[in-house]
Amino acid sequence: MDQAVAMRHVIRGEIVLAISGCRIVGEELLKQRINIMNHDEPYDENYLAKILSSVKTIAMVGASNDRTKFSYGVLRVLHETGYEMIPVNPSLAGREIRGLKVFPSLKTIDKKVDMVQVFRRADDLPKIAEEAVEIGAEVLWGQIGVKHPEAAKIAEKAGLKVVMNRCPKIELFRHVTILFSIMFCRCPW
């Protein structure tokens, strides 16, 4: 018998994989095959930088047309930085924010969305994570204060990258500042 995978059994809905006498069951196997992160730990700077450099289209769930709201400022800065922003807010559907058409839900957006950024209560995040998976997004990003373990699990099991409790505007400029100081600093090192 081959030493690699000896046999597969389905026992009470769990897939048990026998590998050279070691058993890896359900959730543990899933964690090894999918990148399930601990969102209580700090994110690797390269992880965040790679996300921000790879996404082009961002759907912002909870976008506001109120210029005093943080979501408006983040939408404005990301849009001015070159990201294609798609505001999502059912109470503003059909209207515009900064000249951008507002959609009532993620499912109604008529183009590919790379990242779903969430400016909603943490309790709303699991449902939004399910919608992000359904529309084929690559990243689920919860704004500062928006964090939910179940939502992270839903997204990560579907292959999405997940960031929680962070602001993409802050992270974007954190990396620009570091790069700028490295390139133009007259430090002796």
Side-chain angles (χ1 to χ4, degrees):
M1 187 182 321
D2 187 19
Q3 287 291 323
V5 177
M7 65 177 129
R8 291 183 198 183
H9 298 280
V10 177
I11 302 173
R12 283 182 260 131
E14 293 183 326
I15 297 177
V16 177
L17 197 58
I19 304 174
S20 304
C22 299
R23 290 171 42 133
I24 302 172
V25 182
E27 196 71 25
E28 201 54 43
L29 175 62
L30 196 56
K31 284 181 182 178
Q32 290 179 10
R33 296 191 64 212
I34 303 170
N35 186 20
I36 294 181
M37 300 179 72
N38 180 350
H39 297 283
D40 292 324
E41 297 291 324
Y43 294 101
D44 181 88
E45 300 248 346
N46 293 328
Y47 177 74
L48 299 174
K50 188 174 180 180
I51 288 172
L52 292 171
S53 65
S54 67
V55 301
K56 305 287 183 251
T57 305
I58 302 173
M60 181 184 283
V61 178
S64 175
N65 60 354
D66 181 345
R67 292 172 186 248
T68 65
K69 299 280 185 179
F70 193 52
S71 65
Y72 182 91
V74 172
L75 183 133
R76 179 186 62 79
V77 169
L78 293 177
H79 188 232
E80 289 174 357
T81 305
Y83 292 98
E84 181 178 358
M85 299 301 295
I86 303 171
V88 178
N89 187 327
S91 63
L92 298 173
R95 296 172 55 191
E96 290 187 352
I97 299 175
R98 296 186 44 80
L100 304 167
K101 177 183 173 185
V102 180
F103 289 84
S105 70
L106 291 172
K107 294 178 188 177
T108 60
I109 297 172
D110 53 0
K111 59 176 52 181
K112 169 83 170 96
V113 172
D114 299 322
M115 181 170 108
V116 174
Q117 183 192 4
V118 185
F119 268 95
R120 297 285 305 272
R121 293 185 348 228
D123 292 343
D124 297 332
L125 204 50
K127 184 178 183 294
I128 295 167
E130 289 171 358
E131 287 185 28
V133 168
E134 286 178 37
I135 67 165
E138 298 166 18
V139 179
L140 176 68
W141 189 302
Q143 186 57 38
I144 294 172
V146 182
K147 181 175 159 187
H148 198 290
E150 182 187 334
K153 224 181 237 184
I154 291 166
E156 289 171 334
K157 283 183 179 180
L160 277 71
K161 291 183 172 90
V162 176
V163 178
M164 303 253 169
N165 198 29
R166 291 290 187 107
C167 176
K169 175 183 131 183
I170 293 170
E171 297 305 323
L172 180 68
F173 287 103
R174 178 188 325 269
H175 299 291
V176 168
T177 303
I178 291 168
L179 250 162
F180 183 81
S181 63
I182 290 170
M183 291 171 59
F184 299 105
C185 178
R186 297 195 187 273
C187 301
W189 44 267

